[in-house]
Amino acid sequence: MRFVDEYRDPAAARTLVARINELAGARSYKFMEVCGGHTHTIYRHGIEHVLPDTVELVHGPGCPVCVIPMGRVDDAIAVAEQPGVIFTSFGDMMRVPGGSGNLLEAKARGADVRFVYSPLDALRLATEHPDREVVFFAVGFETTAPSTAITLLRARELGVTNFRVFCNHVTIVPPIRAILESPDLRLDGFLGPGHVSTVVGNRPYRFVPETYGKPLVTTGFEPLDILQAIAMLLVQIRDGRCEVENQYTRVVRDEGNPRALAVLAEVFELRPHFEWRGLGFISQSALRLRPEFAAFDAELHYDIPNVRVADPKACQCGEVLKGVIKPWECKVFGTACTPETPIGTCMVSSEGACAAYYNFGRLHREVAVTLGRPA
Amino acid sequence: MCLGIPGRLVEFLDSHEHLARVDVNGVGRIINIGLLEDEVLGPGDWVLIHVGFAMSKIDEEEARRALEGLQLMGQAYDEELTALAGSDITLAWDGGD
């Protein structure tokens, strides 16, 4: 129980862990946490090591940086290297490797690549540099997509003509469905994402129990949230129920944020398909600009290579993202692939399973091994 | 990018619809609150900020917990705060005037 002492309310944590032990009994359970923020919490607080051996957490594809395929990074670099372009990106994407290097390397070669905090900063750059073309590398789930949408609405309102968006926004539901369809994995339930659900709400997850017979509990980012959600999943299974439940009622509402959903619908439409790192092509899983916003669409404006690049052979991010292997089971984990020199995307973002495990997990695992428990 | 940072609403900007000044970690920042226009929102309320936009209204207890969690993240939180400090979205709303 050593790690329990690091929790905000150790007494509550102990009670929850005892409850989980009692509920789990002798059967084995495998739950997937979809969101990278949850993966971070789980490793940061060593949650895997306070759980009984029979309750396994599997890390899912909910890290938007991690799921961008290498070819899209190459496309981004190709746009960044166009004459006259100021290419803007969130900091997280700068070190994500494509088939031919990353954005930081493109910057070192002379491309004008700038890091921005908000898409509105990219729009500001466009208004400040009317003689240049400013492109924003839009990534993220429904958590960040409404911000891009509002920025585009604002750009149109201002009549800005030198601002474009290279849209790589993805949606949370299709990868969950893809994982449920995958024969590789047998899951007993899901920890539903927190912040994404503030936008989409809990309703879009209903297909998980209704079509696939798996319970899902939307949860927050504290260790106590995760433990409580695991207990709620186990209670559902014990009672023979299978539902979408909300542990994170402090922030998430069933209907989500209707205003955010409305601006998403106004600005974006679903792509017929989009490639995900590790999961391959998934139908209707990503967003592109509606035809009304074509003037702002970088994909229509620039000659984009659009070449599919296979992941490096050594990299097993795909299997990590599907939860088929644990980060440390990858051949290059911690040796050829580290947060300083990442080969795979999961090692780049602080919410990627490999980076989280690299930063926090090894110690916990070593302690567990020392204590004679398999990690 | 995925980190939601709590901020406390200080005032609405009369000059800019949908913009508000918030206190984030003791520093005043301007953010967009357009996505919360259906909420009852006033000075003193807490919001969760993603990439310069308030995405949800939260209570003070949730804000405190979220801040504690973020402080544990160390470098990632520091980087996000630095990025937020370097952001100036008012000009995008002005159209560079």
Side-chain angles (χ1 to χ4, degrees):
Chain A
M1 286 302 132
R2 168 195 140 134
F3 298 110
V4 170
D5 296 334
E6 296 169 7
Y7 291 17
R8 187 172 53 78
D9 184 346
R14 280 201 189 83
T15 307
L16 279 169
V17 169
R19 177 114 177 92
I20 288 169
N21 268 289
E22 177 194 317
L23 286 162
R27 217 198 106 177
S28 289
Y29 298 90
K30 218 180 231 191
F31 299 130
M32 173 176 276
E33 90 275 4
V34 176
C35 166
H38 290 157
T39 305
H40 187 98
T41 299
I42 287 161
Y43 282 132
R44 152 72 72 185
H45 295 279
I47 287 178
E48 294 191 308
H49 299 293
V50 302
L51 293 175
D53 289 342
T54 49
V55 177
E56 186 190 343
L57 293 177
V58 179
H59 319 304
C63 161
V65 174
C66 305
V67 299
I68 298 290
M70 297 185 90
R72 293 297 278 189
V73 178
D74 290 348
D75 291 346
I77 290 171
V79 173
E81 290 183 332
Q82 303 273 328
V85 162
I86 299 175
F87 193 84
T88 59
S89 167
F90 293 139
D92 314 41
M93 284 307 298
M94 297 291 231
R95 287 186 307 121
V96 173
S100 46
N102 62 30
L103 280 166
L104 277 182
E105 287 158 3
K107 185 181 170 75
R109 285 196 300 269
D112 191 347
V113 178
R114 305 187 193 184
F115 133 84
V116 289
Y117 169 71
S118 168
L120 284 174
D121 287 316
L123 178 57
R124 167 177 54 86
L125 282 170
T127 62
E128 287 171 350
H129 299 277
D131 54 328
R132 305 279 301 274
E133 293 186 8
V134 175
V135 181
F136 175 63
F137 191 8
V139 296
F141 285 93
E142 288 93 336
T143 327
T144 52
S147 309
T148 305
I150 290 208
T151 302
L152 282 164
L153 289 167
R154 186 65 190 166
R156 188 172 68 174
E157 210 170 285
L158 291 171
V160 174
T161 55
N162 62 328
F163 177 67
R164 331 226 176 272
V165 167
F166 179 43
C167 186
N168 291 270
H169 283 301
V170 286
T171 57
I172 192 69
V173 163
I176 298 179
R177 194 185 295 274
I179 280 162
L180 283 162
E181 292 282 349
S182 161
D184 297 343
L185 209 57
R186 191 194 59 82
L187 292 168
D188 298 292
F190 288 87
L191 299 174
H195 289 151
V196 173
S197 304
T198 63
V199 174
V200 302
N202 287 311
R203 289 176 193 154
Y205 307 124
R206 284 184 187 159
F207 76 97
V208 177
E210 286 169 9
T211 308
Y212 295 92
K214 310 289 181 192
L216 181 145
V217 176
T218 306
T219 186
F221 296 90
E222 283 189 74
L224 289 179
D225 290 328
I226 307 263
L227 290 174
Q228 195 185 346
I230 292 168
M232 287 167 76
L233 284 169
L234 290 168
V235 167
Q236 281 202 40
I237 293 168
R238 183 199 64 189
D239 295 348
R241 283 186 296 124
C242 184
E243 300 164 7
V244 173
E245 282 187 304
N246 185 5
Q247 182 275 335
Y248 200 28
T249 50
R250 310 195 299 271
V251 178
V252 173
R253 296 179 193 167
D254 280 347
E255 71 277 16
N257 180 330
R259 175 75 196 139
L261 292 171
V263 295
L264 285 181
E266 184 177 355
V267 174
F268 297 116
E269 62 184 15
L270 286 170
R271 289 174 192 269
H273 42 255
F274 190 74
E275 187 191 358
W276 292 59
R277 195 169 236 239
L279 299 172
F281 285 90
I282 305 180
S283 299
Q284 306 202 314
S285 64
L287 305 175
R288 67 180 176 202
L289 273 58
R290 283 190 176 280
E292 303 90 287
F293 291 87
F296 300 101
D297 192 338
E299 284 177 90
L300 300 177
H301 196 79
Y302 302 103
D303 199 10
I304 304 234
N306 204 9
V307 175
R308 191 168 180 236
V309 181
D311 287 343
K313 278 210 169 60
C315 174
Q316 293 181 279
C317 275
E319 284 144 285
V320 171
L321 285 166
K322 279 189 291 193
V324 176
I325 65 165
K326 297 283 184 183
W328 69 85
E329 291 170 329
C330 172
K331 290 184 288 292
V332 291
F333 175 84
T335 52
C337 185
T338 65
E340 287 71 39
T341 54
I343 293 177
T345 45
C346 300
M347 193 57 101
V348 177
S349 165
S350 66
E351 302 196 349
C354 294
Y357 189 78
Y358 185 89
N359 289 328
F360 308 115
R362 283 183 306 173
L363 236 180
H364 292 161
R365 188 158 73 101
E366 280 158 20
V367 169
V369 169
T370 313
L371 295 177
R373 268 189 48 187
Chain B
M1 167 206 5
C2 284
L3 296 186
I5 299 182
R8 189 168 207 172
L9 206 145
V10 177
E11 59 177 347
F12 299 108
L13 295 195
D14 292 338
S15 51
H16 299 79
E17 195 192 2
H18 290 163
L19 297 192
R21 185 183 310 280
V22 290
D23 180 312
V24 177
N25 207 32
V27 181
R29 305 303 325 164
I30 305 296
I31 61 159
N32 185 295
I33 51 163
L35 292 168
L36 295 186
E37 68 180 9
D38 303 331
E39 299 272 346
V40 181
L41 205 59
D45 283 339
W46 287 88
V47 292
L48 211 48
I49 306 163
H50 286 270
V51 301
F53 290 75
M55 295 300 295
S56 44
K57 183 180 169 184
I58 53 176
D59 65 22
E60 188 164 3
E61 168 65 10
E62 179 60 23
R64 195 182 56 72
R65 291 190 195 182
L67 275 173
E68 281 175 15
L70 286 168
Q71 277 151 6
L72 277 178
M73 291 194 80
Q75 194 192 347
Y77 178 48
D78 292 343
E79 284 171 8
E80 194 79 1
L81 281 181
T82 307
L84 175 58
S87 165
D88 185 354
I89 66 173
T90 327
L91 282 169
W93 230 241
D94 288 339
D97 299 340

